[in-house]
Amino acid sequence: MVGVLLDGRYRVVRRLASGGMSLVYVGHDERLDRPVAIKIMNADLAADPPFLDRFTREARAAARILHPNIVTVHDQGTDEKHSAVYLVMELVSGGTLRDLLRERGTLSPGAALAVMEPLLRGLGAAHAEGLVHRDVKPENILIDRNGRVLVADFGLARAVAESSHTTHSGKTGAVFGTIAYLSPEQVTTGRADARSDVYAAGIMLYEMLTGSPPYVGDNAVSVAYRHVNDDVPPPSESDSDIPGELDDLVISATTRDPLKRPADARRMLEMTHAARDSLALSDVDAPTIEPPAALQTSATGGTGATEYVGATPADGNPPDARDTRDTREQGDPQADDDTAEDAGDSGGGATAQQPAAIMTSSDRQQTDDEHLDEDDDDPPRHRRQRRWVVPVIVLVTVAALLAGAGFWWMQWGRWTTVPDFSTASSQQDLSDLAGEAGVDIRLGESEFSETVAEGSPISVDPAAGTKVTRGTDVDVVLSKGPERYVVSEALIGQESTTAMSSITSLVGDRIEIEVVAEYDEDVAADAVVGFKPPAGTEMKPSSTLQVIISKGRTPVPLPDVHGVSADEAMQTLTEAGFSPSVSDEKVFSDEEIDTVAKTEPAAGTKAQPGADVQVTVVLSKGPDLVEVPKVIGSSTDSATATLEEAGFVVDISTVFTTLGLVAVQSPEAGTMAKRGSTVTIQVV
């Protein structure tokens, strides 16, 4: 393909990398005058309609994602003239994560997170658009000259997986993903979602920290078996210096149960940030990771070879370095193409051997002569004819079988029917039904339902009974059951502000809250007494919840302790629930000396019993007595002034004749009377 102009726009300059399903070339966009990378799919895939259909859809989906950590897809097309199905992408000058690991062996925790964070940002952007990679591995993680990390080959694994070619040819090593990084569900069911990419990312983090994937074996089957049946060990078992935070991150991402993994790369990125912050690593953001020196641009301006999609060794271990140098001779272009193709299919050797089936005419004649010598009874021509009969019959039979299988696949095999998920009562039931039908489940955010039981589907799109191709994503929304809210009994007795905060967090604006204050003999003031309806009752949205807050104990009248001793008064008030104390000062009163003259607050005042209610007891000094002055014979005005000055109230009684003099006073002069009492005088 070197020198070919695809669709009159993209010039193929030179081969960059090879693999079992495609060749990657350095190209030039003649229209925009820029270098590009051109991935040209193998001819057998290019002739497969299911592959073309899925390849086109996945390329369009990948092209919509413009993210600095995803290799940009510029164009996709089919060149009929050259029978080429191709994908045009940005040309990344640098190497792959595999090259970096090959050079360094292991990465420090900081350097590993420096690769993981942009990798997860790129995957997260794709997952947000509903796009799953399905073949996350170090060979598909590119690192450019500036240390920028990019994810390559979105959607290609799925497109190849659904082709009829791969179904019948058995070439599945590079299609369904690399066995060292496949999630258990990809091994057992062939289905993949965002959690499958998270699993592969966790395996890569393990490899970056320890130098190898967790599972290696003599063949792919043994590796796949361990993915399905064994838990990935913590990286610290291989290197005790690896911190526990990274152990937790790897274990969380690689748990065998998909539902227990982070939901997508965005959630794993949050966990990665948390691990980074917990470790306080200083080398996460800087310095950037440089690609290996062997992958820098050569003196002639070429770019180091980068393997985007390659065949997987049977043992499931990551591939060693592939020498993708072009071994073709300039003088024989046709021979160059043949040997290059053979090298690519075999994994890319340093030199390409001539296939045993390619022989010269003299070689073929010599072989015929040797067979003639073995059996002289039959004429040579008859023996030659018999030698070709069996191979021809076999070839015709195989061709017929393949044609029949292809026809069956196109007409019936690739189609399936969306099952009736209404019978499912759990996510495991959904997975089982989807696996039997050959479709993928894409769970939406669960919703409340008054009619559909919890865990059962509320909606399914496409609907049950719809005819779809295998691998189609079916959007399912599960029920969370009826929307009900239950207030915990543990909130009773809590301080009102704390309890109200908990209730609001639980019910939001779905329940109307009404606060009622009541006296309570047992619950302290400003604490929750109870709820109406009672705690533990299921409430529907728009229900009213009455929160009863205590105002403390019911106020009671202060006991009347006038005239009793101080000790008796203290006992009476204490038993009533108050905190009494005796004043140091005494007052005059009608009560006996050293008995209670009054209380503050006054007797009969209502107050809430409690240790914080202070009652002061004031004792009596007895009555305030004053000697009555003598005013007989004094004028009315003079007598009144004298008595009032002494503290009495004057009551004047006038006799029939008025001389203006006091003739009689009561009480008599010299008598001790209570200050403020009344003294009566008779004026004549």
Side-chain angles (χ1 to χ4, degrees):
M1 298 297 292
V2 173
V4 165
L5 184 64
L6 297 174
D7 283 339
R9 177 174 178 178
Y10 301 107
R11 177 74 64 185
V12 180
V13 178
R14 68 182 181 85
R15 194 170 73 177
L16 178 64
S18 63
M21 296 299 169
S22 66
L23 293 174
V24 182
Y25 296 87
V26 174
H28 189 267
D29 185 345
E30 301 286 312
R31 183 179 302 168
L32 298 180
D33 190 23
R34 63 177 177 180
V36 293
I38 304 174
K39 181 186 292 292
I40 300 179
M41 306 308 297
N42 287 357
D44 47 2
L45 288 173
D48 184 56
F51 167 78
L52 291 177
D53 179 62
R54 173 61 74 176
F55 180 76
T56 301
R57 282 185 284 135
E58 295 290 337
R60 289 175 178 172
R64 287 197 299 268
I65 305 176
L66 299 178
H67 192 276
N69 299 116
I70 294 179
V71 175
T72 303
V73 175
H74 295 319
D75 196 2
Q76 171 272 329
T78 302
D79 187 305
E80 300 291 347
K81 178 180 178 182
H82 300 95
S83 300
V85 174
Y86 63 89
L87 193 67
V88 180
M89 303 166 290
E90 67 173 304
L91 182 62
V92 179
S93 177
T96 67
L97 177 58
R98 171 63 62 211
D99 300 317
L100 185 66
L101 292 175
R102 187 177 297 116
E103 181 179 271
R104 298 191 182 184
T106 62
L107 302 183
S108 68
L113 292 183
V115 174
M116 287 299 296
E117 290 190 351
L119 158 65
L120 293 173
R121 282 196 292 269
L123 282 177
H127 292 170
E129 297 293 329
L131 191 61
V132 180
H133 193 289
R134 298 170 181 264
D135 193 20
V136 176
K137 58 184 178 181
E139 288 76 9
N140 284 337
I141 309 303
L142 311 185
I143 305 175
D144 71 5
R145 287 175 160 277
N146 299 318
R148 184 166 61 110
V149 177
L150 303 95
V151 185
D153 277 348
F154 266 101
L156 182 61
R158 181 168 185 172
V160 180
E162 294 191 2
S163 69
S164 59
H165 160 75
T166 57
T167 303
H168 300 294
S169 68
K171 294 182 180 181
T172 58
V175 177
F176 296 101
T178 305
I179 197 67
Y181 309 93
L182 282 187
S183 64
E185 63 270 18
Q186 286 176 279
V187 174
T188 57
T189 68
R191 299 195 305 274
D193 59 13
R195 292 180 176 88
S196 306
D197 288 350
V198 167
Y199 183 92
I203 296 294
M204 284 202 305
L205 176 58
Y206 181 100
E207 183 175 2
M208 285 188 280
L209 295 170
T210 66
S212 65
Y215 304 136
V216 294
D218 296 333
N219 54 68
V221 174
S222 64
V223 176
Y225 179 86
R226 296 197 65 187
H227 277 292
V228 174
N229 295 281
D230 293 350
D231 292 326
V232 173
S236 60
E237 288 190 3
S238 297
D239 184 351
S240 59
D241 292 334
I242 296 173
E245 287 83 355
L246 297 188
D247 280 347
D248 295 341
L249 187 58
V250 169
I251 292 171
S252 177
T254 59
T255 180
R256 285 182 287 164
D257 185 352
L259 298 179
K260 293 182 180 178
R261 293 179 212 143
D264 56 23
R266 292 171 296 178
R267 176 58 185 144
M268 186 177 177
L269 179 60
E270 294 174 3
M271 298 170 67
T272 303
H273 287 162
R276 176 199 61 191
D277 295 341
S278 176
L279 294 171
L281 295 173
S282 60
D283 56 349
V284 172
D285 296 322
T288 56
I289 297 176
E290 294 294 335
L295 298 174
Q296 304 296 331
T297 304
S298 66
T300 61
T303 304
T306 302
E307 180 79 60
Y308 292 164
V309 176
T312 303
D315 61 1
N317 299 327
D320 293 331
R322 309 289 190 195
D323 187 352
T324 55
R325 293 173 297 177
D326 195 342
T327 59
R328 297 172 295 182
E329 297 293 334
Q330 298 291 336
D332 189 357
Q334 181 61 43
D336 291 347
D337 290 341
D338 292 340
T339 56
E341 181 178 356
D342 292 332
D345 288 342
S346 64
T351 59
Q353 301 296 329
Q354 184 183 33
I358 301 178
M359 297 183 291
T360 63
S361 59
S362 60
D363 293 334
R364 189 174 291 110
Q365 181 62 49
Q366 180 180 355
T367 302
D368 290 343
D369 291 343
E370 291 172 353
H371 284 287
L372 284 174
D373 294 337
E374 295 173 0
D375 189 354
D376 293 333
D377 294 335
D378 291 335
R381 184 172 58 183
H382 291 174
R383 287 197 299 273
R384 267 192 219 105
Q385 289 175 347
R386 282 204 305 270
R387 278 200 302 272
W388 286 107
V389 167
V390 173
V392 168
I393 292 175
V394 171
L395 288 174
V396 171
T397 303
V398 170
L401 290 174
L402 289 176
F407 179 78
W408 172 85
W409 174 257
M410 293 299 297
Q411 295 297 319
W412 298 285
R414 71 185 184 124
W415 296 98
T416 187
T417 301
V418 177
D420 181 7
F421 290 112
S422 63
T423 59
S425 58
S426 66
Q427 292 192 12
Q428 185 59 51
D429 292 344
L430 285 175
S431 298
D432 293 343
L433 289 171
E436 293 172 2
V439 296
D440 292 339
I441 293 294
R442 186 162 56 190
L443 291 178
E445 185 175 355
S446 298
E447 299 176 0
F448 290 109
S449 174
E450 294 292 328
T451 58
V452 180
E454 181 179 359
S456 296
I458 295 176
S459 64
V460 178
D461 184 28
T466 304
K467 187 177 181 181
V468 296
T469 57
R470 295 183 181 275
T472 295
D473 291 329
V474 178
D475 294 315
V476 177
V477 176
L478 296 180
S479 170
K480 293 195 287 187
E483 185 176 6
R484 297 291 184 270
Y485 298 94
V486 178
V487 177
S488 172
E489 190 174 354
L491 295 177
I492 296 177
Q494 287 192 8
E495 191 269 332
S496 60
T497 302
T498 303
M500 290 298 296
S501 176
S502 299
I503 295 170
T504 303
S505 299
L506 172 66
V507 304
D509 60 355
R510 305 294 288 162
I511 300 293
E512 184 177 348
I513 300 175
E514 177 182 334
V515 178
V516 177
E518 295 182 358
Y519 292 109
D520 191 275
E521 303 304 311
D522 300 317
V523 179
D526 201 35
V528 176
V529 175
F531 305 97
K532 291 182 181 179
T537 303
E538 292 187 345
M539 295 176 290
K540 294 183 178 180
S542 301
S543 299
T544 299
L545 173 66
Q546 193 176 82
V547 183
I548 304 171
I549 307 297
S550 174
K551 295 195 295 183
R553 298 174 65 180
T554 305
V556 297
L558 197 68
D560 186 356
V561 292
H562 284 81
V564 303
S565 68
D567 291 340
E568 186 178 352
M570 293 286 285
Q571 181 178 355
T572 300
L573 291 170
T574 300
E575 290 175 352
F578 300 101
S579 298
S581 62
V582 178
S583 174
D584 293 334
E585 297 183 2
K586 299 180 181 180
V587 297
F588 292 107
S589 74
D590 294 337
E591 307 297 339
E592 295 182 6
I593 295 175
D594 290 334
T595 61
V596 178
K598 65 176 182 177
T599 58
E600 296 175 353
T605 302
K606 285 191 173 183
Q608 286 183 319
D612 57 341
V613 179
Q614 301 295 320
V615 178
T616 302
V617 175
V618 182
L619 299 180
S620 172
K621 294 194 293 184
D624 185 7
L625 300 178
V626 179
E627 183 179 354
V628 179
K630 180 180 179 181
V631 294
I632 294 176
S634 301
S635 66
T636 303
D637 292 340
S638 175
T640 300
T642 299
L643 291 170
E644 288 180 348
E645 185 179 350
F648 297 102
V649 176
V650 180
D651 180 20
I652 303 173
S653 174
T654 304
V655 184
F656 58 90
T657 300
T658 304
L659 297 178
L661 300 175
V662 177
V664 180
Q665 70 177 56
S666 179
E668 297 178 355
T671 303
M672 300 299 291
K674 191 165 91 172
R675 189 187 301 274
S677 61
T678 301
V679 176
T680 304
I681 59 175
Q682 291 183 357
V683 179
V684 297

